[in-house]
C-alpha cells in the first residue's frame, strides 16, 4: 500500500516516489499539456511490481548473460537480460540495465493509460514516451560527481528516443572507466542504460594516474566481484585523454551501426565529445 512517506507531489503533474532502493520522478501530461498527477501517483503499483520481480530473480540477474537462459526469466528481468545481451559485452550482467528497465516499465504504463508525454526519471536514467507531435526539453548530466548538467535539449517524438541514461565515475554504480559521464540516447531506457555502462567502461586506460581495485573489495555483494573498477584519477596527459576518448567513440560507432545507439555524449576531464559527429570540445 502506498504510504505518505513513499511519495511527494511536485509541481505540474510530477510525483516523486521513494520506495526500496528506488527514487523516481514520474511525470505525465495529456495532449493539451494538462498534468496527470493522479496517474503519476498510481504508477507506484507498477514500480512496486517491477521491484518484486527483480527481487525474486536477483540470483539469476547477478550472473553474466551466458550463464542464464531466457526460459529462466520473465517480465522485467527478461527485458533486462535481453538489453544487456544486445550490447555484445560479455562482462555485463542484467543488473547493468536495472534502472533503465524500471523506468521503461513505468513510462510504458503511463503511455498505455493515455499520457501523451510520459517521463520516468529513475535517479538520472530516464524513460520517456512521446505521442506523435509531442516534444520535451531536458538536461543531461555532464559530470556525475559534481552534478553539472548540459543546456536543455529538445527531444521530439519523431526522433525515436525512448531512453536517456548516463554512467561514469562518481555515479551510483561502479564503473570500469575514467569518464565522468557517458550519456546514451536509445529507443528504450534499458538499452540506453546497458550501453551507457558499457561505453563508460570503454574509457578505461592503463595508467599510473588511474586507481582501481576489485569490485568485491568495495562491495561484497556486487554482481561483478572479479572485475577491476576505477576509484579515482589524477590529471591525465593529452595522449591518455585522446586514447580514452577514441576508445569510447569507436565503440559508439559500432553500436550506432548495429542500430542500438541513436546518440552518445561524454565527458572526460573537461573534454566533451559526442557521436555521431565525433566532436571533441576543449574545456
Amino acid at each position: 500500500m502506498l504510504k505518505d512517506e513513499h511519495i511527494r507531489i511536485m509541481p505540474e503533474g510530477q510525483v516523486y516516489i521513494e520506495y526500496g532502493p528506488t527514487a523516481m520522478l514520474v511525470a505525465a501530461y495529456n495532449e493539451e499539456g494538462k498534468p496527470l498527477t493522479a496517474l503519476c501517483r498510481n504508477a507506484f503499483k507498477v514500480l512496486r511490481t517491477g521491484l518484486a520481480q527483480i527481487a525474486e530473480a536477483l540470483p539469476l540477474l547477478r550472473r553474466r548473460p551466458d550463464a542464464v537462459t531466457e526460459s529462466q526469466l520473465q517480465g522485467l528481468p527478461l527485458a533486462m537480460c535481453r538489453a544487456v545481451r544486445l550490447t555484445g559485452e560479455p562482462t555485463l550482467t542484467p543488473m547493468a540495465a536495472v534502472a533503465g528497465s524500471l523506468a521503461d516499465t513505468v513510462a510504458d504504463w503511463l503511455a498505455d493509460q493515455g499520457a501523451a508525454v510520459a517521463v520516468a526519471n529513475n535517479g538520472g536514467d530516464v524513460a520517456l514516451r512521446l505521442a506523435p507531435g509531442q516534444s520535451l526539453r531536458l538536461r543531461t548530466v555532464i559530470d556525475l560527481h559534481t552534478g553539472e548538467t548540459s543546456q536543455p535539449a529538445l527531444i521530439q517524438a519523431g526522433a525515436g528516443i525512448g531512453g536517456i541514461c548516463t554512467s561514469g565515475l562518481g555515479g551510483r554504480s561502479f564503473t570500469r572507466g575514467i569518464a565522468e559521464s557517458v550519456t546514451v540516447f536509445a529507443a528504450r531506457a534499458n538499452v540506453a542504460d546497458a550501453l551507457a555502462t558499457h561505453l563508460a567502461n570503454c574509457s578505461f586506460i592503463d595508467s599510473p594516474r588511474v586507481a582501481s581495485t576489485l569490485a568485491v573489495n568495495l562491495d561484497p555483494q556486487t554482481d561483478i566481484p572479479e572485475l577491476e573498477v576505477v576509484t579515482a584519477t589524477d590529471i591525465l596527459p593529452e595522449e591518455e585523454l585522446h586514447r580514452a576518448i577514441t576508445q569510447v567513440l569507436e565503440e559508439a560507432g559500432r553500436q550506432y551501426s548495429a542500430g542500438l545507439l541513436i546518440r552518445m555524449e561524454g565527458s572526460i576531464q573537461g573534454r566533451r565529445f559526442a557521436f555521431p559527429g565525433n566532436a571533441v570540445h576543449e574545456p
Side-chain angles (χ1 to χ4, degrees):
M1 184 175 181
L2 182 59
K3 298 180 181 179
D4 290 342
E5 64 265 26
H6 292 148
I7 192 166
R8 186 164 74 247
I9 305 297
M10 309 293 284
E12 300 178 353
Q14 301 177 28
V15 168
Y16 185 73
I17 300 173
E18 288 187 279
Y19 183 71
T22 302
M24 182 180 291
L25 181 66
V26 179
Y29 306 88
N30 67 12
E31 290 184 353
E32 291 75 37
K34 179 182 178 181
L36 303 174
T37 306
L39 185 64
C40 295
R41 285 180 58 90
N42 290 334
F44 170 77
K45 62 185 180 182
V46 181
L47 174 60
R48 181 179 57 190
T49 298
L51 285 170
Q53 291 178 3
I54 291 170
E56 183 177 356
L58 194 57
L60 294 172
L61 296 175
R62 291 181 179 275
R63 300 179 187 176
R64 295 186 181 183
D66 60 3
V68 181
T69 61
E70 291 194 355
S71 62
Q72 295 175 282
L73 301 171
Q74 59 183 345
L76 192 150
L78 179 57
M80 292 166 58
C81 187
R82 286 176 171 172
V84 166
R85 281 181 169 156
L86 285 173
T87 69
E89 173 49 53
T91 64
L92 294 182
T93 75
M95 293 303 291
V98 62
S101 296
L102 278 167
D104 272 334
T105 298
V106 171
D108 283 340
W109 182 84
L110 292 170
D112 288 344
Q113 299 303 306
V117 175
V119 182
N121 184 341
N122 190 5
D125 292 321
V126 180
L128 61 155
R129 304 292 181 265
L130 301 174
Q134 299 293 327
S135 62
L136 180 72
R137 288 191 179 274
L138 53 78
R139 299 173 183 267
T140 59
V141 178
I142 296 173
D143 189 318
L144 285 165
H145 181 71
T146 65
E148 181 186 359
T149 59
S150 67
Q151 294 297 313
L154 179 66
I155 308 297
Q156 297 180 317
I161 296 171
I164 304 172
C165 297
T166 303
S167 184
L169 194 60
R172 296 177 298 171
S173 303
F174 295 145
T175 181
R176 299 173 61 201
I178 64 169
E180 279 82 27
S181 70
V182 171
T183 299
V184 169
F185 300 70
R188 302 278 297 175
N190 57 7
V191 173
D193 195 4
L195 280 178
T197 300
H198 173 45
L199 291 173
N201 288 345
C202 287
S203 67
F204 176 78
I205 56 169
D206 187 8
S207 168
R209 300 169 185 83
V210 177
S212 64
T213 187
L214 289 176
V216 70
N217 294 334
L218 301 177
D219 178 8
Q221 303 302 317
T222 180
D223 58 318
I224 52 170
E226 77 285 9
L227 297 180
E228 290 270 338
V229 296
V230 174
T231 56
T233 63
D234 289 332
I235 301 300
L236 299 173
E238 200 63 38
E239 183 276 329
E240 292 183 342
L241 285 172
H242 178 76
R243 178 153 42 100
I245 291 171
T246 298
Q247 290 169 182
V248 178
L249 289 173
E250 288 179 348
E251 181 60 19
R254 284 190 284 269
Q255 299 294 343
Y256 181 83
S257 296
L260 294 182
L261 180 147
I262 296 174
R263 180 170 173 79
M264 180 278 301
E265 299 173 355
S267 177
I268 301 178
Q269 295 194 356
R271 269 54 169 195
R272 297 176 60 185
F273 51 94
F275 189 94
N278 291 4
V280 179
H281 303 284
E282 299 298 323

